[in-house]
Amino acid sequence: MPKNSKAVKRELDDDVTESVKDLLSNEDACDDSFKKSSLIVNNHEGEGKECDVEEGGSDGEEEERPAWNSKLQYILAQVGFSVGLGNVWRFPYLCQKNGGGAYLVPYLILLILIGIPLFFLELAVGQRIRRGSIGVWNYISPRLGGIGFASCVVCFFVALYYNVIISWSLFYFSQSFQQPLPWHECPLVKNKTNTYVVPECEKSSATTYYWYREALNISNSISEGGGLNWKMTVCLLIAWSIVCLAMIKGIQSSGKVMYFSSLFPYVVLICFLVRALLLKGSVDGIRHMFTPKLEIMLEAKVWREAATQVFFALGLGFGGVIAFSSYNKRDNNCHFDAVLVSFINFFTSVLATLVVFAVLGFKANIMNSKCVALNTHKIVTLLGNGIDQSLIPHHINLTQASEISAEDYDQIIEVIKKVQEGDFAQLGLETCSIEAELNKVLAVQGTGLAFIAFTEAMTHFPASPFWSVMFFLMLVNLGLGSMFGTIEGILTPLIDTFKVRKEFLTVGVCVLAFSIGLLFVQRSGNYFVAMFDDYSATLPLLIVVVLENVAIAWFYGIDKFFEDLKDMLGFTPYRFYYYMWKYITPILLLVLLCSSFIQLIMTPPSYSAWIQEDAKEQTLHFPTWGIVVCISLVVMAIMPVPVVFGLRYFNIIDENTSGLSTVSYKKGRIIKESARPGEDDDASLIQGKSPSEAPSPMPGNSIYRKQSGSGGTDVDTAPNGRYGIGYLMADMPDMPESDL
């Protein structure tokens, strides 16, 4: 068989005999490997039948598999999905909490031991089997087919509240086009006699007040619904409309959006880093980040939190990774992709942490300067009335209190402490420290970091509206990149399994999600977001990924999987992955699962509520119905796994069926498309026989992949070449046995 870049036209003649092995060896080398195609299926009598496939088609026909326009588009999609809001507002908090720069060591170790192997595994099975999560795990082990359904349920739960966070960012983005920014200072209330600051704002801060009262208009507890917040409802509608329009044509539409949504955040982060480095105090923040606290590394909690962050940072278990890779060509080097995307994710987290520490270092410097000025005024008033004038160093001029540096103030405090050690506490003076301020401003995460701490720091920037617009537009893009992967993790498996039109399913999912999402835009909606974030994903996803790993390593067989990888990639992966997948990673995942479960049991379900009268947060326990909802979220997410297992085990559902239009996978690499009840066998796209029944390959049994849109000439290429469906392979004696 010739191996050139031009496809070769063959006459389908009964006198011509070609082995399947020859067909497999014919890999078309043309660059346009992602073109749409159709299958020509020839039956055993030699009569050819062309099955022009159509996306979302029915009647037993295989859907046309979309494909990425380029490798860059695919990488950007995976990066956009894995790099999300957690890289910006979760990783910096964990870095601050768990030893600064020392935290990067356990994170990097666990990225290599857990992250990359599992990411590689999901990429490989999606690319090889070319199905969404439901089809993939039903193929690997029909009794574990519930893994795919569990992934879809978790994706739906996460999408419900994740798009609410995007709507919050859209609201702040829309409010950033004004000078000064609306959260720059506390609002004033005027009455007939006087003007005063809103008490709730005076007790907290301008940015805190704006977040809780102006943006969320939050209630005092989860039990107080308070009705819909119309501003957030409109923003949520816009957010779901953007997602729907971007996803309605599948990767053909969302892939193009990825060029902007994946690259723009890096432009913003670099701009923020350059700008922050020019501000006073930014170096203090970065120095604080890279000052390691090595003793903390010995604590088990640090390693558990690092493992959890690695796990969620890469988007493992959601099905989005599998869905995206299923649109790849069969011989794509997914090992390179796994390593590349994992380290891009890691370096993005480090870059975002540098930006956060630099900006909040600037804010900490401002807070420290205010502390110095306030306490210097106290010292001036106490001179001769508690503090002797001789205690003040001669080179320090207290008459210009606003110009006293932090170093001079520290010197004054040290002298006063030594001389008046017993009476120092009664003076009411505070020790102003940049380190203490950094620990204070960095002790927040999530919405507290993005919408309060970072937002307040930006109000001190020159041209603050510009930076606010850039920051919240970055958050919107980070969120959308992850949303595209999450929604793809829902749509692709359902389309592959039930053969519904993608447009109708996309609109239906988005409308349903928006309707349920109204729960999150009522006044108590923020508390429901926290509930879903804590209980709908963490434990279920850990269980899903444990089962994924076990399904490949122990049910399917790690040796067979390695043979499949060799056949797909053209080389045998490092033996490192063999031991990771079979022993190390499952053990680490089980330890992480057990520790997470223990923590969940030992920590009473609670949430942080904003009390309007006190203008501060207070930890409250969920009411009884709230605890029931928390438990229900976990149970509903995991329920598909035992349900499908039971249905398969007791033969209530045949293990060779998996949906309305199903593909049954047989050993020996012969694949048969099962016709629906009442349909003729001619409606099947791929017809085959078991290895014992299959005759020697003859022209009447050959299956070719024909490039569509080729004008008038029929151009045929091999089924496992660049246009191959990937998992269709013949039973060849000289090839390693594999279910794939």
Side-chain angles (χ1 to χ4, degrees), residues 179 181 184 272 275-276 278-280 362 366 457-468:
Q179 174 71 24
L181 292 169
H184 177 70
F272 261 100
R275 183 68 189 91
L278 300 177
L279 298 172
K280 184 180 179 182
F362 163 67
I366 292 176
M458 286 189 297
T459 60
H460 300 288
F461 278 28
S464 55
F466 169 77
W467 294 105
S468 183

Side-chain angles (χ1 to χ4, degrees), residues 176-490:
S176 297
F177 294 91
Q178 45 188 308
Q179 174 71 24
L181 292 169
W183 50 83
H184 177 70
E185 57 187 5
C186 288
L188 299 176
V189 177
K190 296 181 180 179
N191 56 25
K192 295 180 180 180
T193 56
N194 60 352
T195 301
Y196 59 93
V197 177
V198 176
E200 185 180 3
C201 186
E202 189 176 21
K203 293 177 183 177
S204 53
S205 68
T207 51
T208 303
Y209 172 81
Y210 191 86
W211 166 242
Y212 284 117
R213 191 55 48 213
E214 297 293 338
L216 300 181
N217 192 21
I218 199 166
S219 60
N220 284 354
S221 73
I222 194 172
S223 301
E224 302 174 22
L228 291 178
N229 181 338
W230 69 267
K231 292 179 289 186
M232 289 305 171
T233 304
V234 172
C235 290
L236 183 64
L237 178 62
I238 294 172
W240 275 115
S241 300
I242 294 172
V243 172
C244 184
L245 292 174
M247 299 296 299
I248 199 164
K249 291 295 183 181
I251 63 170
Q252 310 300 342
S253 54
S254 65
K256 295 179 176 61
V257 180
M258 291 295 180
Y259 286 109
F260 180 77
S261 65
S262 297
L263 294 176
F264 179 73
Y266 291 95
V267 175
V268 176
L269 285 174
I270 292 172
C271 291
F272 261 100
L273 182 61
V274 173
R275 183 68 189 91
L277 289 175
L278 300 177
L279 298 172
K280 184 180 179 182
S282 61
V283 177
D284 295 324
I286 294 176
R287 187 188 301 117
H288 182 79
M289 170 187 170
F290 284 106
T291 303
K293 301 172 184 175
L294 299 177
E295 66 280 1
I296 296 183
M297 285 180 58
L298 300 176
E299 298 179 11
K301 184 180 178 182
V302 174
W303 291 82
R304 181 179 61 80
E305 291 189 344
T308 305
Q309 179 63 16
V310 166
F311 183 85
F312 290 105
L314 294 175
L316 300 172
F318 283 95
V321 173
I322 294 176
F324 280 152
S325 66
S326 72
Y327 299 118
N328 264 334
K329 56 183 180 178
R330 178 180 167 271
D331 60 350
N332 174 61
N333 189 347
C334 55
H335 174 257
F336 172 79
D337 300 342
V339 176
L340 177 64
V341 174
S342 297
F343 278 101
I344 288 177
N345 188 293
F346 172 69
F347 288 117
T348 304
S349 297
V350 174
L351 174 62
T353 304
L354 281 171
V355 172
V356 169
F357 273 73
V359 171
L360 295 186
F362 163 67
K363 180 191 174 185
N365 187 273
I366 292 176
M367 301 301 293
N368 192 57
S369 298
K370 289 181 178 179
C371 176
V372 169
L374 178 64
N375 284 277
T376 301
H377 281 294
K378 288 183 180 180
I379 292 174
V380 171
T381 58
L382 290 172
L383 286 177
N385 188 25
I387 298 178
D388 194 271
Q389 179 69 44
S390 61
L391 298 179
I392 308 301
H394 299 292
H395 67 281
I396 298 176
N397 184 9
L398 289 180
T399 58
Q400 298 178 338
S402 59
E403 297 181 5
I404 300 296
S405 66
E407 292 76 14
D408 289 341
Y409 175 76
D410 289 340
Q411 188 176 351
I412 295 173
I413 291 296
E414 287 299 321
V415 173
I416 295 175
K417 275 186 178 181
K418 288 180 181 178
V419 176
Q420 298 180 249
E421 184 175 354
D423 301 330
F424 182 78
Q426 300 175 0
L427 297 177
L429 299 176
E430 299 178 9
T431 302
C432 300
S433 167
I434 191 73
E435 292 294 322
E437 294 296 339
L438 277 169
N439 289 329
K440 204 179 296 182
V441 298
L442 289 167
V444 292
Q445 61 169 322
T447 54
L449 176 62
F451 297 107
I452 297 177
F454 207 92
T455 303
E456 183 177 346
M458 286 189 297
T459 60
H460 300 288
F461 278 28
S464 55
F466 169 77
W467 294 105
S468 183
V469 167
M470 294 284 282
F471 177 70
F472 289 110
L473 186 58
M474 178 191 73
L475 291 187
V476 169
N477 278 276
L478 284 172
L480 286 176
S482 297
M483 273 298 295
F484 294 155
T486 303
I487 297 298
E488 198 67 55
I490 301 171

